[in-house]
Amino acid sequence: MSKTAIVEIDGKRYEFPVVEGSENEEAIDINKLRDLTGVITLDPGYKNSGSCTSKITFLDGELGILRYRGYSIEDLADKADFLEVSFLLIFGELPTAVQLKQFEDDIRKHTLVNEEMKNIIDGFPRTAHPMGVLAALTSALTAFNPKSVNVDNEKEMYHAVCKTMGKFLVIATWTYRKSMGYPLNYYDNTKGYVENFMKLMFEIPTGPYKASPIVIDALNKLFILHADHEQNCSTSTVRMVGSSHAGLFASISAGVSALWGPLHGGANQAVLEMLEEIHNNGGDTDKYMAKAKDKNDPFRLMGFGHRVYKNFDPRAKIIKKAADEVLETLGVDDPILAIAKKLEALALEDEYFKSRSLYPNVDFYSGIIYRALGIPTDMFTVMFAIGRLPGWIAQWKEMRENKEPIGRPRQIYTGSPLRDFKTVDKR
Ligand code: SDX
């Protein structure tokens, strides 16, 4: 006997089915609510509302669990590589060795970006924020790849996936090259995907660039940890834009813009800027803890708190361990890491943070590793976007394959009642 929920309005009772997921999550299916009752629900920020069912990622905010297609984030970060996890998220299964090689080869077929795209990037000032340039270039890819993506045709969908994975990585690094006044690099089909990121970013014409295996391994782990996170702000944006049947590049471009915000992916840059400010002001962590708790002070402890994790973000634990290992292996003694750990220790003991279940999130430690790898601070959110790309693609593909309706939330109007128009001479 499946569960139901009863809603009583003006003495009338209405019954709605309760949907149960494969991990025993439950939701009241209100598909017929307005037709039956004439009322809607109101939930700013969708804290209590599910937008879809999905088979891609499961997270439990209370227990600090994160799984991609049923595999734990701990296992994937430890044992898989980024393209393997990208394939898993997008196509639902871990690839065989043959499938993985084919996927990497097929991505390589699309890593050449139309040379005319350089005219677009030339139009930006060097001071432009890389996320703004990336959003524009991603949208511009539509102009050079106008064919809409037919998700019902498996071959075309696979082609669009490989094209997006290939071109996005290249244009993401072009945002850095542009800011530095360096020539734009090309993907090297003899190197791996993550190794190519470092080559695209840092190789200069005077000679070949060789990334250390430690750096490649750390980046691989970081990209995996950022790859998907169910219906977060930027992913919901990608699904919303895609629900109007806008193309994949246009939908991803919207996701880049949403991720840029400092409350979302932009937090990793904001964390580093906060830690540097604390360091430059003498490392007074108590002062900043007090600011974070002061209702009259807009300052928040960036990298802390989460919409759904009310326990440790499991990604933060893995990144914190990796930060220790990477900095030690690279022989980097970064005082910023010590400040981060001190802030974490203070917050975990502090009543304000404990009572609000505010723990370090994915952004709290990631910037410390990026900095040690030589990635500039204003590129940190671009790093998040590169990692999140397969998740965006997977979610967009699922939404379209499920033939979900165009997203169109309702509202409760609280504005002025009907008024008579007055001509300007009478106002
Ligand atoms: C990401 O959703 C995802 O999955 C996102 C993400 C992903 O992988 O896609 O995980 C990536 O975006 C991680 C979050 C990165 N953002 C930050 O680190 C920015 C700092 N964090 C906050 O802005 C905040 O915690 C949010 C935005 C992350 C979550 O905000 P909520 O859930 O809307 O919580 P809230 O604003 O309602 O805060 C509840 C209380 C408030 O105090 P009271 O009104 O109850 O007195 O906690 C306080 C807030 O003032 N609070 C903080 C705080 N975060 C919340 N106080 C100080 N410092 C903070 N960081």
Side-chain angles (χ1 to χ4, degrees):
M1 165 76 173
S2 57
K3 269 187 204 174
T4 60
I6 306 290
V7 174
E8 186 171 327
I9 301 174
D10 299 334
K12 207 166 168 221
R13 289 160 62 88
Y14 303 88
E15 197 166 7
F16 297 95
V18 171
V19 173
E20 187 170 334
S22 51
E23 287 293 339
N24 309 316
E25 298 163 301
E26 294 183 324
I28 302 169
D29 177 347
I30 56 168
N31 238 319
K32 302 246 181 308
L33 176 69
R34 191 169 186 274
D35 292 347
L36 291 174
T37 69
V39 306
I40 62 169
T41 59
L42 186 60
D43 187 20
Y46 312 112
K47 282 192 175 184
N48 306 283
S49 301
S51 59
C52 61
T53 60
S54 176
K55 299 181 188 305
I56 299 170
T57 290
F58 169 71
L59 68 82
D60 181 316
E62 282 66 34
L63 299 177
I65 291 171
L66 175 59
R67 298 184 198 135
Y68 297 160
R69 300 283 188 183
Y71 294 94
S72 77
I73 193 64
E74 291 79 7
D75 266 356
L76 293 171
D78 192 30
K79 298 170 185 149
D81 83 22
F82 181 54
L83 282 193
E84 235 177 327
V85 170
S86 300
F87 188 99
L88 169 69
L89 284 167
I90 296 168
F91 302 109
E93 297 297 334
L94 282 168
T96 61
V98 170
Q99 285 172 324
L100 182 57
K101 173 138 185 6
Q102 190 61 57
F103 188 46
E104 183 146 34
D105 289 347
D106 291 335
I107 289 171
R108 285 179 170 137
K109 291 173 191 158
H110 297 286
T111 55
L112 205 55
V113 175
N114 192 302
E115 288 291 311
E116 288 180 279
M117 285 277 286
K118 294 183 176 178
N119 302 331
I120 299 170
I121 201 165
D122 284 344
F124 285 95
R126 280 182 52 185
T127 52
H129 193 287
M131 283 297 275
V133 180
L134 180 57
L137 291 181
T138 307
S139 188
L141 283 173
T142 309
F144 296 92
N145 304 276
K147 251 170 110 258
S148 67
V149 179
N150 175 359
V151 290
D152 300 326
N153 176 316
E154 206 172 305
K155 196 161 164 285
E156 271 194 37
M157 185 69 227
Y158 178 78
H159 183 82
V161 167
C162 295
K163 186 181 283 191
T164 309
M165 289 292 292
K167 296 187 190 303
F168 189 84
L169 184 77
V170 174
I171 61 175
T173 62
W174 283 7
T175 66
Y176 167 70
R177 303 291 291 189
K178 166 70 192 178
S179 71
M180 300 299 286
Y182 291 160
L184 305 179
N185 278 332
Y186 293 91
Y187 196 98
D188 175 346
N189 282 350
T190 66
K191 297 182 189 312
Y193 192 81
V194 175
E195 185 179 3
N196 255 293
F197 166 76
M198 291 301 281
K199 183 241 183 220
L200 287 159
M201 280 285 285
F202 298 117
E203 186 164 274
I204 48 178
T206 48
Y209 179 87
K210 188 87 186 98
S212 89
I214 300 143
V215 170
I216 294 166
D217 181 54
L219 279 176
N220 199 55
K221 196 184 287 275
L222 283 162
F223 287 150
I224 288 170
L225 291 168
H226 286 82
D228 194 53
H229 213 240
E230 53 138 276
Q231 305 311 314
N232 59 83
C233 177
S234 54
T235 300
S236 298
T237 302
V238 170
R239 285 181 86 118
M240 175 66 90
V241 172
S243 73
S244 73
H245 287 201
L248 182 53
F249 288 125
S251 306
I252 299 288
S253 172
V256 170
S257 297
L259 186 72
W260 190 2
L263 295 188
H264 189 17
N268 58 16
Q269 174 174 345
V271 167
L272 234 293
E273 289 163 352
M274 172 187 76
L275 294 173
E276 281 174 336
E277 185 187 328
I278 296 172
H279 176 61
N280 297 336
N281 288 351
D284 184 354
T285 45
D286 292 332
K287 175 183 148 197
Y288 283 86
M289 285 291 287
K291 279 170 64 71
K293 298 188 284 187
D294 178 355
K295 283 293 153 228
N296 301 317
D297 189 329
F299 175 81
R300 282 195 161 180
L301 205 59
M302 300 314 276
F304 263 79
H306 198 277
R307 176 51 67 79
V308 288
Y309 283 126
K310 301 307 172 192
N311 193 326
F312 246 93
D313 180 335
R315 301 167 297 179
K317 282 185 187 170
I318 298 170
I319 294 177
K320 177 181 175 183
K321 184 167 169 285
D324 277 329
E325 290 162 1
V326 169
L327 268 66
E328 192 190 336
T329 314
L330 294 177
V332 171
D333 177 18
D334 188 346
I336 297 288
L337 179 58
I339 291 179
K341 288 182 174 178
K342 198 170 159 204
L343 274 178
E344 178 189 346
L346 287 170
L348 295 181
E349 290 306 311
D350 184 283
E351 196 39 47
Y352 172 95
F353 284 81
K354 285 197 299 188
S355 63
R356 292 167 176 79
S357 305
L358 302 177
Y359 291 89
N361 59 47
V362 66
D363 294 308
F364 189 60
Y365 284 104
S366 53
I368 292 164
I369 300 184
Y370 291 145
R371 193 161 103 132
L373 302 183
I375 312 287
T377 305
D378 66 1
M379 280 293 287
F380 287 5
T381 313
V382 172
M383 300 299 286
F384 196 142
I386 293 169
R388 185 53 51 91
L389 179 66
W392 285 337
I393 295 172
Q395 299 271 352
W396 186 93
K397 177 172 175 285
E398 179 180 70
M399 176 274 302
R400 289 295 308 276
E401 287 174 345
N402 289 351
K403 298 189 177 0
E404 288 181 14
I406 185 167
R408 206 289 185 202
R410 304 300 298 251
Q411 64 160 30
I412 293 295
Y413 177 69
T414 56
S416 167
L418 179 64
R419 294 189 278 177
D420 295 332
F421 181 82
K422 287 195 187 73
T423 52
V424 68
D425 57 315
K426 293 198 176 59
R427 286 176 216 155

